[in-house]
Amino acid sequence: MIVSRFAPSPTGRLHLGHAFSAIRAHDFARERGGRFLLRIEDIDGTRSRPEHVETILRDLEWLGLRWDDEVVFQSQRLSLYEAALERLKAAGLLYPCFCTRADIAASVSAPHPGSGGPEGPVYPGTCRTLDAPDLSRPHCWRLDMARALATVSAPLRFEDSGHGLVEADPVSHGDVVLARKDAPASYHLAVTIDDAAQGVTDIVRGEDLFAATHVHRLLQHLLGLPVPRYHHHPLLLGPDGQRLAKRHNASTLAALREAGEDGHALADALRKGELPIGFAAASA
Ligand code: GLU
């Protein structure tokens, strides 16, 4: 049975790009007689807002999308993430990091070729070898990428409908954060655990998350989780040619809904690739 999901973070209102992604994930499952799940990725307590959750549910219903099962909230699954972190710590693959953003920016202020990762500066490893870390100070937990890769004996691969069979190469991400100072798990950890726990077979999401999949594949290996198939789709671009962001307020689904637009008609237009005037789909 095919299982797909849409996994928005309730840190703002959904825009047309989210609608495009939700429709693709929904239709992927429905066209194959499968199940479509909705997961709210709300572990970021400082940026997630309950009122956005309400709006997201209404937006999806307005588009005509229906999900199976109860909505899953990451904020209610923290013990799962903690258990995984404990396992990785016990295996000696994590270390506490006390650096602030400013510390990291300063240490990579003279970037040299290759010092940037897919998600910004690569952590320079300042805290990797601390002798007696004082865990009463604010800290995050980072994956020791070199040690993690040392546990890999056969190539880590994943299937992507756009990219083919991909060999995961997470090294350029550096020592990624798995538990944040201000949140009990990072996106990488929570998304990997939840997709496995919910039995997601096919991950349909934007091309902007393709790079992160290399890290997710490594985490699947470290935690002994099944490897789903991936379908990274092109992003919808705004009238300025830039990817849509929450700051493009006019294109939020809530604004269109409140202006009396027909959500089902909008969803059908997006399905046919007929984008609202001024929008374009970026090629992958
Ligand atoms: N929560 C993530 C976001 O809103 C998406 C997660 C995913 O699809 O893997 O960007």
Side-chain angles (χ1 to χ4, degrees):
M1 165 80 78
I2 296 287
V3 182
S4 73
R5 51 56 163 191
F6 180 54
S9 306
T11 54
R13 293 184 150 197
L14 299 187
H15 51 62
L16 284 168
H18 292 111
F20 190 55
S21 203
I23 292 165
R24 293 189 70 142
H26 169 273
D27 291 3
F28 186 93
R30 294 290 182 240
E31 283 161 8
R32 293 162 178 81
R35 292 153 51 74
F36 171 66
L37 308 179
L38 177 60
R39 182 172 70 235
I40 301 293
E41 303 213 317
D42 59 347
I43 33 175
D44 184 338
T46 53
R47 292 173 61 230
S48 295
R49 296 267 178 283
E51 63 268 26
H52 292 315
V53 175
E54 273 307 304
T55 310
I56 289 171
L57 302 186
R58 268 193 281 148
D59 289 343
L60 297 177
E61 284 170 356
W62 173 72
L63 290 167
L65 306 184
R66 299 288 176 271
W67 52 91
D68 296 303
D69 300 348
E70 298 280 303
V71 179
V72 163
F73 290 86
Q74 287 192 325
S75 57
Q76 292 170 9
R77 300 164 66 78
L78 304 184
S79 55
L80 271 179
Y81 314 139
E82 264 167 41
L85 288 167
E86 288 313 317
R87 253 178 86 181
L88 296 173
K89 279 180 207 171
L93 298 177
L94 302 189
Y95 63 87
C97 168
F98 302 86
C99 294
T100 61
R101 274 177 203 279
D103 292 335
I104 297 172
S107 59
V108 293
S109 64
H112 47 84
S115 69
E119 288 157 35
V122 168
Y123 181 63
T126 320
C127 292
R128 196 183 295 132
T129 51
L130 294 183
D131 266 347
D134 172 6
L135 295 180
S136 66
R137 287 169 52 215
H139 59 281
C140 68
W141 288 90
R142 289 183 180 275
L143 181 69
D144 186 323
M145 184 59 77
R147 285 196 184 186
L149 288 173
T151 70
V152 175
S153 50
L156 297 177
R157 299 199 172 103
F158 62 91
E159 239 183 84
D160 184 286
S161 48
H163 296 263
L165 188 62
V166 181
E167 187 156 327
D169 182 15
V171 73
S172 60
H173 289 259
D175 293 353
V176 286
V177 173
L178 293 192
R180 292 168 38 170
K181 270 182 198 164
D182 57 351
S186 70
Y187 159 68
H188 293 310
L189 184 72
V191 81
T192 305
I193 290 175
D194 284 338
D195 283 330
Q198 292 187 275
V200 175
T201 60
D202 290 83
I203 295 184
V204 182
R205 62 183 176 195
E207 181 65 19
D208 53 331
L209 291 169
F210 176 72
T213 308
H214 292 254
V215 175
H216 304 171
R217 181 65 190 86
L218 175 61
L219 292 175
Q220 285 153 3
H221 157 74
L222 296 174
L223 296 168
L225 302 175
V227 184
R229 289 177 292 265
Y230 290 88
H231 312 270
H232 289 96
H233 61 73
L235 298 181
L236 202 60
L237 300 183
D240 52 5
Q242 301 293 312
R243 58 179 283 208
L244 295 179
K246 286 168 185 162
R247 63 178 181 280
H248 287 88
N249 202 35
S251 60
T252 67
L253 302 183
L256 295 168
R257 182 159 51 78
E258 283 153 15
E261 295 285 338
D262 179 339
H264 288 224
L266 173 68
D268 282 338
L270 288 171
R271 285 187 173 101
K272 288 188 217 139
E274 289 164 13
L275 306 177
I277 291 171
F279 289 87
S283 53

mmCIF file with all atom_site columns, all heavy atoms in Angstrom, residues 5 7-9 41 187 191 205 209, ligand 1:
data_model
loop_
_atom_site.group_PDB
_atom_site.id
_atom_site.type_symbol
_atom_site.label_atom_id
_atom_site.label_alt_id
_atom_site.label_comp_id
_atom_site.label_asym_id
_atom_site.label_entity_id
_atom_site.label_seq_id
_atom_site.pdbx_PDB_ins_code
_atom_site.Cartn_x
_atom_site.Cartn_y
_atom_site.Cartn_z
_atom_site.occupancy
_atom_site.B_iso_or_equiv
_atom_site.pdbx_formal_charge
_atom_site.auth_seq_id
_atom_site.auth_comp_id
_atom_site.auth_asym_id
_atom_site.auth_atom_id
_atom_site.pdbx_PDB_model_num
ATOM   1  N N   . ARG A 1 5   ? 2.559  11.680 2.301  1.00 0.00 ? 5   ARG A N   1
ATOM   2  C CA  . ARG A 1 5   ? 2.195  12.620 3.378  1.00 0.00 ? 5   ARG A CA  1
ATOM   3  C C   . ARG A 1 5   ? 2.499  14.046 2.968  1.00 0.00 ? 5   ARG A C   1
ATOM   4  O O   . ARG A 1 5   ? 3.308  14.312 2.059  1.00 0.00 ? 5   ARG A O   1
ATOM   5  C CB  . ARG A 1 5   ? 2.912  12.242 4.678  1.00 0.00 ? 5   ARG A CB  1
ATOM   6  C CG  . ARG A 1 5   ? 4.436  12.021 4.647  1.00 0.00 ? 5   ARG A CG  1
ATOM   7  C CD  . ARG A 1 5   ? 5.211  13.124 4.134  1.00 0.00 ? 5   ARG A CD  1
ATOM   8  N NE  . ARG A 1 5   ? 6.636  13.093 4.441  1.00 0.00 ? 5   ARG A NE  1
ATOM   9  C CZ  . ARG A 1 5   ? 7.422  14.142 4.227  1.00 0.00 ? 5   ARG A CZ  1
ATOM   10 N NH1 . ARG A 1 5   ? 6.969  15.232 3.663  1.00 0.00 ? 5   ARG A NH1 1
ATOM   11 N NH2 . ARG A 1 5   ? 8.700  14.083 4.513  1.00 0.00 ? 5   ARG A NH2 1
ATOM   12 N N   . ALA A 1 7   ? 3.686  17.498 5.118  1.00 0.00 ? 7   ALA A N   1
ATOM   13 C CA  . ALA A 1 7   ? 4.237  17.735 6.464  1.00 0.00 ? 7   ALA A CA  1
ATOM   14 C C   . ALA A 1 7   ? 4.610  19.204 6.663  1.00 0.00 ? 7   ALA A C   1
ATOM   15 O O   . ALA A 1 7   ? 5.785  19.548 6.774  1.00 0.00 ? 7   ALA A O   1
ATOM   16 C CB  . ALA A 1 7   ? 5.458  16.833 6.669  1.00 0.00 ? 7   ALA A CB  1
ATOM   17 N N   . PRO A 1 8   ? 3.621  20.080 6.712  1.00 0.00 ? 8   PRO A N   1
ATOM   18 C CA  . PRO A 1 8   ? 3.944  21.506 6.837  1.00 0.00 ? 8   PRO A CA  1
ATOM   19 C C   . PRO A 1 8   ? 4.396  21.898 8.252  1.00 0.00 ? 8   PRO A C   1
ATOM   20 O O   . PRO A 1 8   ? 4.046  21.234 9.224  1.00 0.00 ? 8   PRO A O   1
ATOM   21 C CB  . PRO A 1 8   ? 2.609  22.186 6.511  1.00 0.00 ? 8   PRO A CB  1
ATOM   22 C CG  . PRO A 1 8   ? 1.574  21.191 6.923  1.00 0.00 ? 8   PRO A CG  1
ATOM   23 C CD  . PRO A 1 8   ? 2.176  19.831 6.656  1.00 0.00 ? 8   PRO A CD  1
ATOM   24 N N   . SER A 1 9   ? 5.177  22.948 8.306  1.00 0.00 ? 9   SER A N   1
ATOM   25 C CA  . SER A 1 9   ? 5.573  23.539 9.598  1.00 0.00 ? 9   SER A CA  1
ATOM   26 C C   . SER A 1 9   ? 4.659  24.737 9.834  1.00 0.00 ? 9   SER A C   1
ATOM   27 O O   . SER A 1 9   ? 4.594  25.621 8.969  1.00 0.00 ? 9   SER A O   1
ATOM   28 C CB  . SER A 1 9   ? 7.026  24.027 9.532  1.00 0.00 ? 9   SER A CB  1
ATOM   29 O OG  . SER A 1 9   ? 7.857  22.974 9.114  1.00 0.00 ? 9   SER A OG  1
ATOM   30 N N   . GLU A 1 41  ? 4.554  19.685 11.555 1.00 0.00 ? 41  GLU A N   1
ATOM   31 C CA  . GLU A 1 41  ? 5.930  19.666 12.068 1.00 0.00 ? 41  GLU A CA  1
ATOM   32 C C   . GLU A 1 41  ? 6.137  20.889 12.965 1.00 0.00 ? 41  GLU A C   1
ATOM   33 O O   . GLU A 1 41  ? 6.672  21.924 12.547 1.00 0.00 ? 41  GLU A O   1
ATOM   34 C CB  . GLU A 1 41  ? 6.908  19.614 10.887 1.00 0.00 ? 41  GLU A CB  1
ATOM   35 C CG  . GLU A 1 41  ? 6.607  18.390 9.999  1.00 0.00 ? 41  GLU A CG  1
ATOM   36 C CD  . GLU A 1 41  ? 7.801  17.745 9.341  1.00 0.00 ? 41  GLU A CD  1
ATOM   37 O OE1 . GLU A 1 41  ? 8.674  18.484 8.841  1.00 0.00 ? 41  GLU A OE1 1
ATOM   38 O OE2 . GLU A 1 41  ? 7.864  16.495 9.338  1.00 0.00 ? 41  GLU A OE2 1
ATOM   39 N N   . TYR A 1 187 ? 14.840 19.236 12.406 1.00 0.00 ? 187 TYR A N   1
ATOM   40 C CA  . TYR A 1 187 ? 14.023 18.783 11.276 1.00 0.00 ? 187 TYR A CA  1
ATOM   41 C C   . TYR A 1 187 ? 14.519 17.437 10.749 1.00 0.00 ? 187 TYR A C   1
ATOM   42 O O   . TYR A 1 187 ? 13.735 16.503 10.550 1.00 0.00 ? 187 TYR A O   1
ATOM   43 C CB  . TYR A 1 187 ? 14.055 19.857 10.163 1.00 0.00 ? 187 TYR A CB  1
ATOM   44 C CG  . TYR A 1 187 ? 13.703 19.301 8.808  1.00 0.00 ? 187 TYR A CG  1
ATOM   45 C CD1 . TYR A 1 187 ? 12.409 18.857 8.542  1.00 0.00 ? 187 TYR A CD1 1
ATOM   46 C CD2 . TYR A 1 187 ? 14.658 19.182 7.805  1.00 0.00 ? 187 TYR A CD2 1
ATOM   47 C CE1 . TYR A 1 187 ? 12.081 18.306 7.306  1.00 0.00 ? 187 TYR A CE1 1
ATOM   48 C CE2 . TYR A 1 187 ? 14.339 18.637 6.575  1.00 0.00 ? 187 TYR A CE2 1
ATOM   49 C CZ  . TYR A 1 187 ? 13.055 18.199 6.326  1.00 0.00 ? 187 TYR A CZ  1
ATOM   50 O OH  . TYR A 1 187 ? 12.737 17.645 5.110  1.00 0.00 ? 187 TYR A OH  1
ATOM   51 N N   . VAL A 1 191 ? 11.901 14.328 10.976 1.00 0.00 ? 191 VAL A N   1
ATOM   52 C CA  . VAL A 1 191 ? 11.254 13.933 9.713  1.00 0.00 ? 191 VAL A CA  1
ATOM   53 C C   . VAL A 1 191 ? 11.612 12.491 9.353  1.00 0.00 ? 191 VAL A C   1
ATOM   54 O O   . VAL A 1 191 ? 10.773 11.721 8.883  1.00 0.00 ? 191 VAL A O   1
ATOM   55 C CB  . VAL A 1 191 ? 11.634 14.932 8.588  1.00 0.00 ? 191 VAL A CB  1
ATOM   56 C CG1 . VAL A 1 191 ? 12.988 14.634 7.986  1.00 0.00 ? 191 VAL A CG1 1
ATOM   57 C CG2 . VAL A 1 191 ? 10.601 14.959 7.487  1.00 0.00 ? 191 VAL A CG2 1
ATOM   58 N N   . ARG A 1 205 ? 7.801  15.826 -2.204 1.00 0.00 ? 205 ARG A N   1
ATOM   59 C CA  . ARG A 1 205 ? 8.051  17.154 -1.627 1.00 0.00 ? 205 ARG A CA  1
ATOM   60 C C   . ARG A 1 205 ? 8.900  17.958 -2.591 1.00 0.00 ? 205 ARG A C   1
ATOM   61 O O   . ARG A 1 205 ? 9.375  17.447 -3.608 1.00 0.00 ? 205 ARG A O   1
ATOM   62 C CB  . ARG A 1 205 ? 8.730  17.035 -0.255 1.00 0.00 ? 205 ARG A CB  1
ATOM   63 C CG  . ARG A 1 205 ? 10.087 16.377 -0.318 1.00 0.00 ? 205 ARG A CG  1
ATOM   64 C CD  . ARG A 1 205 ? 10.689 16.210 1.070  1.00 0.00 ? 205 ARG A CD  1
ATOM   65 N NE  . ARG A 1 205 ? 11.955 15.496 1.015  1.00 0.00 ? 205 ARG A NE  1
ATOM   66 C CZ  . ARG A 1 205 ? 12.556 14.970 2.067  1.00 0.00 ? 205 ARG A CZ  1
ATOM   67 N NH1 . ARG A 1 205 ? 12.011 15.074 3.259  1.00 0.00 ? 205 ARG A NH1 1
ATOM   68 N NH2 . ARG A 1 205 ? 13.706 14.346 1.929  1.00 0.00 ? 205 ARG A NH2 1
ATOM   69 N N   . LEU A 1 209 ? 14.226 20.290 -0.888 1.00 0.00 ? 209 LEU A N   1
ATOM   70 C CA  . LEU A 1 209 ? 14.603 19.357 0.185  1.00 0.00 ? 209 LEU A CA  1
ATOM   71 C C   . LEU A 1 209 ? 15.414 18.173 -0.327 1.00 0.00 ? 209 LEU A C   1
ATOM   72 O O   . LEU A 1 209 ? 15.739 17.257 0.427  1.00 0.00 ? 209 LEU A O   1
ATOM   73 C CB  . LEU A 1 209 ? 13.356 18.892 0.951  1.00 0.00 ? 209 LEU A CB  1
ATOM   74 C CG  . LEU A 1 209 ? 12.732 20.021 1.786  1.00 0.00 ? 209 LEU A CG  1
ATOM   75 C CD1 . LEU A 1 209 ? 11.362 19.635 2.318  1.00 0.00 ? 209 LEU A CD1 1
ATOM   76 C CD2 . LEU A 1 209 ? 13.652 20.424 2.927  1.00 0.00 ? 209 LEU A CD2 1
HETATM 77 N N1  . GLU B 2 .   ? 8.183  20.631 7.428  1.00 0.00 ? 1   GLU B N1  1
HETATM 78 C C1  . GLU B 2 .   ? 8.948  20.857 6.251  1.00 0.00 ? 1   GLU B C1  1
HETATM 79 C C2  . GLU B 2 .   ? 8.603  22.201 5.669  1.00 0.00 ? 1   GLU B C2  1
HETATM 80 O O1  . GLU B 2 .   ? 7.509  22.709 5.918  1.00 0.00 ? 1   GLU B O1  1
HETATM 81 C C3  . GLU B 2 .   ? 8.731  19.851 5.154  1.00 0.00 ? 1   GLU B C3  1
HETATM 82 C C4  . GLU B 2 .   ? 9.149  18.509 5.519  1.00 0.00 ? 1   GLU B C4  1
HETATM 83 C C5  . GLU B 2 .   ? 9.244  17.494 4.400  1.00 0.00 ? 1   GLU B C5  1
HETATM 84 O O2  . GLU B 2 .   ? 8.365  17.486 3.513  1.00 0.00 ? 1   GLU B O2  1
HETATM 85 O O3  . GLU B 2 .   ? 10.147 16.706 4.457  1.00 0.00 ? 1   GLU B O3  1
HETATM 86 O O4  . GLU B 2 .   ? 9.412  22.741 4.954  1.00 0.00 ? 1   GLU B O4  1
#
